[in-house]
Amino acid sequence: MNISKSGNYTNLCTGSNRANEIKHPGRQKDIDALESLINQLEPNHPAPHICLQPISQNANATQLCIETCIKRNWRLSVQMHKYLDIA
């Protein structure tokens, strides 16, 4: 579930409480929004696996995702074909 594509915050929270995995873009504003959403999960909800994906192959975007994943024990998700320039 990509939480940034939902236009309805109520649906977003409801869906997040059912999710066991969340794949999310890795810009700083997206990371901040994701953390806010995680903090609003139901108290007895098991922590979902978070997969953070750099929004581009830009070195700074990739480094932000790497550092964030290490700091928060999240998973890094990359589109390897883009890094290898394979169509």
Side-chain angles (χ1 to χ4, degrees), residues 2-3 10 13 24 28 32 34 36-38 41 43 51-53 56-57 66 68-70 73 75 81 84:
N2 185 330
I3 67 172
T10 301
C13 291
H24 200 64
Q28 187 62 57
D32 295 341
L34 176 60
S36 175
L37 183 67
I38 290 169
L41 292 175
C51 300
L52 198 60
Q53 187 172 58
S56 70
Q57 292 73 53
I66 291 169
T68 302
C69 287
I70 290 170
N73 198 29
R75 297 175 181 176
H81 65 284
L84 298 176

Side-chain angles (χ1 to χ4, degrees), residues 60-84:
N60 290 335
T62 303
Q63 190 61 36
L64 173 63
C65 288
I66 291 169
E67 290 173 2
T68 302
C69 287
I70 290 170
K71 181 178 177 181
R72 292 170 176 80
N73 198 29
W74 293 350
R75 297 175 181 176
L76 180 66
S77 174
V78 295
Q79 295 179 321
M80 189 58 69
H81 65 284
K82 290 185 178 180
Y83 286 88
L84 298 176

